[in-house]
Amino acid sequence: MNRKLSSTSRRALLKWGLCSFGAAALTILPKKLTAHTLSSTKTLTFNANDVGILNFALLLEELEAAFYLFALSSGKIKDKKEYDYLQAIGSHEASHVTFLRQVLGANAKFKTKDLSFNLAGLNAVLKDRDTILNTAVSLEDTGVHAYNGAGTSLKNPTYLLAAGSIVSVEARHTAGVRALLNRPTTELDTERAVNDANLVPALNPVKGKAYDELYTPKQIVAIVSSLNILNNPINGALVA
């Protein structure tokens, strides 16, 4: 069953230049999203300050928003309940992008069009329904760990409020997608991308099922890089 995107999602696809997808999805990705090489794409630099942290959060939201648009356009999510749920999450992520860009204003260090996506990596994460949903879990879990980890360094109360208002929604997202997969709604230790030995003690004074682990921006970059969906090099003191 192929379902039509909502008008909101279609507008977002136009923003990304993806409305030519149809069910074929990745086989006809626009050239501007697939032809970039590491030498020609914009390097994303994040400084170790409030502006750098919120820009880093913006990157994660941009990746999530783009992922859900790709997923909805792939033709692989055929169940109505699952499709509608991913569409709702994608709408939330797009709203987060808009919100963070409004909070940052002129301090936003990159534009949506600066992001370059890797076709092979996208094909891999959009291979089938299970892969899409499990990738969604990974992205949402990563967002929770990232916001919690970076939030301890934020000094601007407006930026802290922005991060805090998003992280709880990310947690609801991952719990919902986990339920679709019949996976535990709370991330198991064995599922975490960063094991106990590599957690930063200062960020993780408590641990257990009642608490979420806090990851450093450097650890988040490693997780995002492992998905192989973004061409842009990432550097700066924040992620060093």
Side-chain angles (χ1 to χ4, degrees), residues 186-197:
T186 299
E187 184 182 37
L188 303 177
D189 284 352
T190 54
E191 296 175 336
R192 281 194 283 112
V194 179
N195 59 31
D196 286 352

Side-chain angles (χ1 to χ4, degrees), residues 50-116:
D50 278 13
V51 169
I53 292 170
L54 214 62
N55 271 279
F56 189 61
L58 173 61
L59 173 62
L60 297 180
E61 295 298 334
E62 290 273 17
L63 291 179
E64 289 176 332
F67 168 76
Y68 288 109
L69 287 175
F70 284 115
L72 292 168
S73 302
S74 70
K76 304 295 176 59
I77 304 299
K78 301 182 184 301
D79 181 86
K80 180 182 185 301
K81 171 185 170 184
E82 294 178 351
Y83 186 97
D84 290 348
Y85 191 69
L86 292 191
Q87 189 171 62
I89 295 177
S91 177
H92 293 168
E93 305 300 1
S95 294
H96 293 166
V97 169
T98 300
F99 175 57
L100 289 175
R101 287 198 175 278
Q102 289 173 341
V103 172
L104 281 165
N107 287 319
K109 300 302 181 183
F110 65 93
K111 298 178 180 179
T112 299
K113 66 180 182 181
D114 292 327
L115 301 181
S116 170

Side-chain angles (χ1 to χ4, degrees), residues 43-55:
T43 296
L44 305 177
T45 301
F46 302 100
N47 296 322
N49 54 29
D50 278 13
V51 169
I53 292 170
L54 214 62
N55 271 279

